[in-house]
């Protein structure tokens, strides 16, 4: 039975009052009463109830009622589509639009702005183009509302040519249409175009409003177009827009991005109302300009004085400041604060926390936090992989990378920029090959940053010809590409090739930087090119206006010292225009060890100790000098001094990759599963080497023990263990590549030459300084390293 007229009117009157007051509680009571006291739903009451729930943002309830209405009006269709377009999910608005057409309801000019807004939110270009054709079919394309919505849709989807065509075709363009076009240009970084449009709209008599300014300020900031920014600021002051929190925040963000923090802070300080976005913009501006302490101070003020709850973006900025300052204590406190806020599940914030722990050097905490993260994305994996590599855990980095692949998350370009250095560090060539193949498949292999990382990886994995092939195929070289290739040649002892490439750089009219000369001088050092080293060191300041810094001087001392010109190297240090540091004295001490200059070695060692040694290496060098000369008491005294300083000698460690698995060996290692076979193989090799004339160089055992024991100590150096393992596990004739964390000793260098004759294999050893390519009883270094 139909609802009585008076009762229906009462319901409609009450519901209209609720719509005006947006009283959801009262609306639900009326709805409940209606359901209890009526047997048949009345479409006008359902219509009003749907409108009521929409006004209270109860889209799900509104949709439930809407679906019960037999023939909703086009107005109600528009309202429900608008609700989805504003509140989401956006595809709900598009589905409703198609249902509307299917039921024969003709859209009007108000339908299209809502459904097109949903299309732009999803970047649903195909749907938007189809809806555009419908608007044209219904004769609505030229309507100002519909055309403005189309301009906005195409602009936000990056189809700016079509947006401009429609915009130009409009007979009447109001400020909303101009703002849509300006915002589209701004969104895609077209700063000059956006500013030009603002000038053009004023010429046509349309005054920009605050939305116009807010739309263009981000791209002005990104472009660091300070002149445009100041002009916009002046306009805002004249129109009194700058008093609003949204425009004020946009202005301070623009100044911060233009590195004008003084202006940004002035705007921030005079803002009458500051919201979370204002604070976030100012703190983020300080972080972006490397003013980390100021960022932390402002954050404290935000929390303690203004009692403002920080957004995840603000917390991310503050965590980046902690990472930059390596302020682990504060970073941990922020982590606890984030947990209390319940924001730890925010993946962007989680990734920033992960990066903070990694950059503060507590990689174990970073890995622990990474394991707890749920969900993880490619950024999470990239952060932990890079963190592991930076903290010397390359093997763990590769393990996590494999985990990423198994989890179904595709590594992106950033991830691969972390993985390739891990392959470089471990000389994990098979991993490097697989990574290169993946980069080609994904279309990343033409990226300059990736190519530079590939050059470094192949160089450090012993494949310098592959590195050069990558270099030759690059579409565009930056100075890092040239530097990577030059230093690659250098560590392989190919000094003349490095010089040839440097000449190619100059012939192309390119300008080398200070890093280029470090690479070049280092290459001269490893190849004994003393004359060339002197020439280019002098030319650096004379012809290229590059003032030599400590790193260049270290290279020169190394060049002279390795060549036996120790007095010249010492004279060079004494005449430097700045005070020598520990590193440069260490280079001279290393030369003293090579050339057994005990007197100068003692003098240099005292200078190093007065400056404070940076590591155990300098103590070890002097101890080795004494041991080589048989001065065991002096060597023991140095070891005691080293212990008193709280420094421990770094054990020699070598790596070898077999079938994609990296195996590590430490000198005298007794832990490997194939230990007995390795020892047996070394004993067999020793017999064969002695038959060919090998004699253990016991001067490289820096302990006062019997000669026979010294021979056994030398036999189990880490690189020999790794080579024996490679012989056992690689097919006959296959080359062997071993990586070592320290400099290869003279005895191992001699022994490996004999091993190549016995095994008929090429053996390559990458030590802390350079590559040694052994073949047919010789090494490409010519015994100069």
């Amino acid at each position: 039975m139909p609802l009585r007229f008076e009762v229906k009117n009462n319901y409609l009157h009450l519901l209209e009052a609720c719509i005006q007051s947006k009283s959801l509680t009262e609306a639900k009571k009326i709805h409940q009463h209606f359901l209890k006291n009526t047997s048949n739903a009345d479409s006008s009451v359902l219509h009003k109830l749907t409108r009521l729930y929409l006004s209270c943002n109860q889209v799900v309830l509104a949709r439930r009622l809407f679906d019960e209405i037999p023939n909703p009006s086009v107005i109600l269709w528009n309202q429900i589509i608008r609700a989805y377009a504003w509140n989401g999910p956006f595809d709900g608005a598009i589905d409703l639009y198609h249902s509307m057409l299917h039921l024969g309801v003709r859209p009007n000019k108000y339908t299209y702005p809502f459904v097109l807004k949903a299309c732009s939110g999803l970047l649903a270009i195909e749907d938007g183009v189809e809806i555009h054709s419908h608007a044209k079919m219904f004769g609505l394309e030229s309507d100002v509302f519909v055309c403005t919505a189309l301009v906005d849709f195409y602009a936000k989807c990056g189809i700016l040519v079509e947006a401009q065509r429609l915009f130009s075709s409009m007979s009447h363009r109001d400020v909303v249409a101009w703002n849509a076009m300006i915002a589209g240009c701004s969104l895609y970084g077209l700063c000059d175009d956006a500013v030009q449009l603002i000038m053009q709209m004023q010429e046509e008599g349309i005054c920009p409003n605050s939305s116009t300014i807010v739309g263009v300020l981000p791209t002005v900031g990104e472009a660091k177009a300070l002149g445009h920014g100041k002009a916009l600021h002046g306009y805002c002051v004249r129109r009194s827009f700058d008093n609003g929190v949204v425009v004020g925040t946009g202005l301070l963000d623009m100044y911060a991005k233009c590195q004008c923090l003084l202006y940004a802070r002035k705007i921030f300080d005079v803002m009458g109302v500051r919201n979370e976005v204002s604070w976030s913009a100012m703190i983020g501006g300080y972080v972006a300009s490397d003013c980390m302490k100021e960022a932390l101070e402002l954050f404290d003020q935000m929390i303690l004085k203004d009692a403002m709850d920080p957004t995840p973006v603000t917390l991310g900025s503050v965590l980046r400041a902690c990472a930059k300052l390596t302020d682990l204590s504060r970073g941990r406190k922020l982590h606890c604060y984030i947990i209390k806020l319940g924001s730890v599940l925010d993946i962007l914030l989680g990734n920033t926390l992960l990066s903070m722990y990694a950059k503060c050097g507590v990689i174990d905490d970073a890995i622990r936090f990474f394991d707890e993260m749920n969900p993880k994305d490619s950024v999470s994996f990239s952060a932990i992989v890079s963190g592991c590599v930076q903290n010397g855990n390359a093997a763990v980095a590769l393990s996590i990378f494999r985990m990423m692949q198994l989890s179904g998350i595709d590594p992106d370009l950033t991830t691969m920029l972390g993985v390739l250095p891990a392959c470089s560090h471990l000389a994990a060539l098979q991993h490097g090959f697989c990574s290169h193949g993946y980069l080609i498949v994904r279309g990343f292999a033409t990226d300059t940053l990736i190519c530079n990382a590939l050059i470094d990886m192949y160089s450090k994995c012993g494949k310098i010809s592959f590195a050069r092939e990558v270099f030759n195929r690059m579409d565009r070289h930056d100075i890092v590409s040239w530097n990577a290739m030059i230093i690659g040649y250098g560590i392989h002892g190919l000094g003349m090739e490095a010089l040839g490439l440097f000449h190619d750089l100059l012939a192309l009219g390119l300008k080398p930087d200070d890093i280029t000369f470090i690479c070049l001088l280092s290459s001269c050092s490893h190849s004994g090119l003393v004359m060339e080293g002197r020439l280019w060191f002098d030319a650096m300041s004379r012809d290229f206006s590059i003032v030599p810094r400590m790193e260049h001087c270290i290279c020169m001392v190394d060049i002279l010292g390795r060549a036996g010109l120790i007095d010249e190297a010492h004279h060079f240090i004494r005449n430097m225009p700045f005070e020598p540091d520990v590193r440069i004295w260490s280079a001279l001490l290393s030369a003293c060890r090579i050339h057994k200059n005990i007197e100068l070695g003692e003098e240099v060692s005292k200078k190093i100790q007065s400056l404070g040694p940076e590591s155990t290496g300098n103590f070890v060098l002097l101890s080795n000098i004494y041991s080589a000369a048989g001065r065991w008491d002096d060597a023991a005294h140095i070891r005691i001094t080293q212990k008193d300083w709280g420094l421990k000698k770094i054990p020699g460690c070598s790596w070898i990759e077999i079938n994609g698995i990296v195996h590590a060996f430490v000198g005298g290692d007794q832990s490997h599963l194939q230990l007995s076979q390795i020892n047996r193989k070394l004993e067999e090799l020793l017999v064969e080497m002695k038959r060919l004339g090998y004699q253990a160089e016991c001067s490289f055992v820096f302990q006062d023990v019997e000669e026979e024991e010294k021979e056994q100590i030398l036999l189990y150096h880490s690189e020999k263990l790794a080579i024996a393992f490679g012989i056992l596990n690689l097919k006959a004739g296959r080359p062997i590549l071993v990586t070592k964390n320290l400099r290869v000793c003279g005895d191992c260098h001699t022994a490996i030459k004999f091993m190549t004759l016995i095994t008929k294999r090429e053996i390559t050893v990458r030590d802390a300084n350079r590559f040694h390519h052994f073949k047919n009883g010789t090494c490409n270094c010519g015994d100069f390293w």
Side-chain angles (χ1 to χ4, degrees):
M1 184 175 176
L3 197 63
R4 289 195 355 247
F5 180 77
E6 308 86 52
V7 174
K8 181 171 78 171
N9 269 357
N10 285 337
Y11 275 122
L12 294 175
H13 178 74
L14 289 169
L15 289 169
E16 185 61 37
C18 289
I19 290 172
Q20 298 303 318
S21 63
K22 292 185 172 58
S23 176
L24 181 61
T25 305
E26 293 301 317
K28 286 184 175 180
K29 289 178 182 177
I30 297 167
H31 189 183
Q32 188 178 34
H33 188 275
F34 174 74
L35 293 172
K36 283 182 178 179
N37 293 282
T38 58
S39 56
N40 295 312
D42 182 89
S43 90
S44 59
V45 174
L46 291 176
H47 187 287
K48 190 74 76 171
L49 274 167
T50 302
R51 280 187 55 213
L52 171 57
Y53 284 128
L54 287 174
S55 70
C56 295
N57 286 324
Q58 298 295 310
V59 181
V60 175
L61 289 173
R63 177 63 184 273
R64 195 176 301 157
L65 290 169
F66 177 82
D67 289 340
E68 294 178 19
I69 300 172
N71 295 299
S73 67
V74 68
I75 295 172
L76 193 59
W77 277 101
N78 289 345
Q79 288 177 334
I80 194 81
I81 289 171
R82 179 180 64 181
Y84 277 104
W86 281 97
N87 301 298
F90 297 139
D91 51 4
I94 299 171
D95 291 341
L96 277 165
Y97 169 78
H98 287 297
S99 297
M100 180 183 185
L101 290 178
H102 180 71
L103 293 170
V105 180
R106 181 168 175 162
N108 61 20
K109 65 179 183 179
Y110 300 109
T111 311
Y112 288 99
F114 303 141
V115 71
L116 286 167
K117 176 178 172 58
C119 291
S120 63
L122 291 170
L123 297 179
I125 296 172
E126 289 184 8
D127 287 317
V129 170
E130 182 186 8
I131 290 165
H132 181 186
S133 70
H134 295 166
K136 191 183 296 184
M137 181 177 65
F138 291 127
L140 295 171
E141 184 189 36
S142 59
D143 179 85
V144 66
F145 292 109
V146 175
C147 199
T148 299
L150 284 166
V151 169
D152 182 69
F153 160 71
Y154 282 117
K156 285 179 178 172
C157 290
I159 310 174
L160 295 175
V161 173
E162 181 63 14
Q164 182 65 57
R165 186 192 69 77
L166 285 166
F167 181 74
S168 300
S169 71
M170 293 176 72
S171 57
H172 170 68
R173 296 182 292 206
D174 61 10
V175 70
V176 180
W178 283 97
N179 286 353
M181 195 66 224
I182 290 166
C185 290
S186 179
L187 182 64
Y188 288 92
L190 302 174
C191 176
D192 290 338
D193 291 336
V195 172
Q196 190 65 36
L197 280 168
I198 291 177
M199 295 170 66
Q200 188 181 336
M201 74 185 288
Q202 292 178 88
E203 290 170 2
E204 295 189 16
I206 306 293
C207 290
N209 60 17
S210 60
S211 297
T212 317
I213 305 302
V214 170
V216 79
L217 282 172
T219 192
V220 171
E222 292 295 338
K224 294 183 171 45
L226 186 58
H228 289 323
K230 286 183 175 181
L232 290 167
H233 188 185
Y235 180 84
C236 289
V237 171
R238 291 194 297 275
R239 295 291 304 276
S240 299
F241 291 159
D242 59 322
N243 295 325
V245 65
V246 177
V247 174
T249 301
L251 285 167
L252 80 86
D253 181 63
M254 177 273 296
Y255 279 122
K257 286 175 179 172
C258 290
Q259 307 286 305
C260 291
L261 290 178
L262 185 62
Y263 287 3
R265 186 58 190 260
K266 281 182 178 179
I267 292 172
F268 179 80
D269 288 339
V270 300
M271 288 176 71
V273 177
R274 292 185 293 221
N275 60 18
E276 293 89 344
V277 181
S278 313
W279 285 93
S280 183
M282 193 65 242
I283 291 169
Y286 276 130
V287 172
S289 297
D290 207 23
C291 299
M292 304 304 171
K293 291 183 179 178
E294 290 84 349
L296 295 177
E297 287 170 3
L298 192 62
F299 177 72
D300 289 341
Q301 182 184 333
M302 175 184 179
I303 301 298
L304 300 174
K305 293 185 179 178
D306 286 50
M308 188 78 69
D309 289 333
T311 65
V313 174
T314 312
L315 291 166
S317 295
V318 177
L319 283 169
R320 283 191 289 276
C322 294
K324 183 72 175 181
L325 297 170
T326 59
D327 189 344
L328 180 60
S329 173
R330 184 161 192 142
R332 289 190 194 280
K333 290 175 184 175
L334 273 171
H335 189 175
C336 295
Y337 181 68
I338 290 165
I339 292 171
K340 288 179 181 177
L341 287 178
S343 299
V344 76
L345 294 178
D346 182 285
I347 194 163
L348 294 177
L349 205 49
N351 290 339
T352 310
L353 272 167
L354 191 61
S355 182
M356 183 274 296
Y357 280 123
K359 288 178 180 176
C360 286
V362 282
I363 196 63
D364 290 341
D365 285 3
I367 293 172
R368 194 177 302 114
F369 179 68
F370 173 79
D371 291 338
E372 293 170 358
M373 283 181 70
N374 187 25
K376 302 178 180 75
D377 62 7
S378 62
V379 178
S380 318
F381 279 96
S382 298
I384 193 67
V385 166
S386 296
C388 287
V389 173
Q390 290 161 11
N391 287 278
N393 296 72
V396 177
L398 290 181
S399 174
I400 291 173
F401 177 62
R402 284 194 293 272
M403 185 198 310
M404 178 183 188
Q405 293 174 303
L406 292 171
S407 71
I409 298 174
D410 288 333
D412 58 15
L413 189 143
T414 306
T415 312
M416 300 311 296
L417 285 171
V419 170
L420 289 172
C423 299
S424 300
H425 180 79
L426 296 171
L429 182 60
Q430 189 168 333
H431 285 285
F433 278 144
C434 292
S435 297
H436 192 179
Y438 175 81
L439 290 165
I440 292 170
V441 170
R442 287 295 302 275
F444 295 153
T446 56
D447 181 87
T448 301
L449 290 174
I450 285 289
C451 288
N452 294 343
L454 283 168
I455 291 168
D456 179 71
M457 183 273 292
Y458 280 124
S459 296
K460 290 179 178 174
C461 288
K463 296 292 184 181
I464 192 66
S465 61
F466 286 25
R468 183 58 192 259
E469 187 66 24
V470 172
F471 180 85
N472 289 343
R473 293 189 179 195
M474 287 177 71
D475 295 329
R476 189 182 71 84
H477 302 93
D478 59 14
I479 194 63
V480 178
S481 317
W482 291 92
N483 293 347
M485 197 65 239
I486 290 169
I487 194 64
Y489 278 134
I491 61 175
H492 283 268
L494 302 172
M496 294 310 296
E497 286 81 350
L499 283 167
L501 191 63
F502 178 73
H503 286 297
D504 291 343
L505 182 154
L506 298 180
L508 290 171
L510 301 174
K511 187 177 180 182
D513 63 7
D514 60 330
I515 303 297
T516 312
F517 281 99
I518 293 173
C519 298
L520 186 66
L521 293 170
S522 177
S523 300
C524 292
S525 172
H526 289 308
S527 297
L529 302 174
V530 178
M531 184 179 70
E532 291 83 354
R534 288 194 189 109
L535 170 70
W536 288 112
F537 182 84
D538 292 338
M540 180 172 62
S541 53
R542 183 186 66 239
D543 300 335
F544 300 96
S545 302
I546 295 174
V547 178
R549 51 190 174 94
M550 191 68 74
E551 286 75 10
H552 301 102
C553 294
I554 291 169
C555 289
M556 273 309 299
V557 170
D558 201 46
I559 288 171
L560 298 169
R562 285 178 188 274
L565 303 171
I566 294 179
D567 290 339
E568 185 179 343
H570 195 193
H571 178 77
F572 178 89
I573 293 173
R574 288 199 302 267
N575 287 278
M576 288 193 325
F578 39 76
E579 283 296 314
D581 64 7
V582 170
R583 294 172 299 161
I584 204 159
W585 287 118
S586 298
L588 185 59
L589 183 60
S590 179
C592 292
R593 185 194 65 78
I594 294 169
H595 298 286
K596 299 180 174 57
N597 191 325
I598 298 175
E599 185 180 346
L600 182 57
E602 289 177 320
E603 180 184 334
V604 171
S605 180
K606 288 175 183 176
K607 289 185 180 295
I608 291 172
Q609 291 183 45
S610 69
L611 293 171
E614 294 182 329
S615 66
T616 62
N618 299 309
F619 284 115
V620 172
L621 281 172
L622 185 60
S623 174
N624 292 353
I625 290 172
Y626 285 137
S627 298
R631 291 171 56 175
W632 303 110
D633 290 342
D634 291 328
H637 175 71
I638 291 297
R639 288 196 291 272
I640 292 168
T641 304
Q642 174 187 320
K643 188 176 180 182
D644 290 342
W645 278 75
L647 299 171
K648 293 183 179 180
K649 182 181 177 181
I650 300 169
C653 183
S654 296
W655 297 268
I656 183 171
E657 183 190 40
I658 305 287
N659 298 325
I661 299 172
V662 178
H663 298 261
F665 295 88
V666 178
D669 194 355
Q670 300 293 312
S671 62
H672 200 277
L673 293 175
Q674 293 188 27
L675 178 65
S676 58
Q677 297 100 306
I678 291 170
N679 289 347
R680 192 158 50 248
K681 177 56 67 176
L682 284 174
E683 293 290 349
E684 291 171 6
L685 287 170
L686 181 60
V687 171
E688 288 295 314
M689 288 191 299
K690 284 184 174 179
R691 189 176 62 80
L692 292 173
Y694 164 77
Q695 288 185 327
E697 297 183 41
C698 295
S699 62
F700 289 97
V701 176
F702 305 111
Q703 300 171 36
D704 188 11
V705 293
E706 296 297 325
E707 293 298 306
E708 187 176 334
E709 189 175 345
K710 287 182 179 181
E711 185 179 273
Q712 286 299 305
I713 291 170
L714 290 170
L715 185 62
Y716 298 110
H717 275 191
S718 64
E719 55 266 59
K720 288 174 182 163
L721 293 170
I723 290 168
F725 179 73
I727 293 168
L728 290 168
N729 291 277
L730 290 171
K731 291 181 181 178
R734 286 283 301 277
I736 292 173
L737 171 62
V738 170
T739 305
K740 185 174 182 181
N741 64 331
L742 303 176
R743 185 177 179 274
V744 65
C745 80
D747 177 74
C748 287
H749 195 267
T750 301
I752 297 169
K753 292 180 190 176
F754 284 99
M755 289 179 183
T756 61
L757 293 171
I758 295 165
T759 63
K760 304 289 191 295
R761 294 177 188 260
E762 293 181 21
I763 300 175
T764 300
V765 177
R766 189 188 90 191
D767 70 6
N769 289 338
R770 57 163 294 157
F771 273 87
H772 298 269
H773 296 280
F774 298 92
K775 183 179 179 181
N776 297 328
T778 63
C779 177
N780 75 317
C781 74
D783 296 336
F784 180 89
W785 82 97

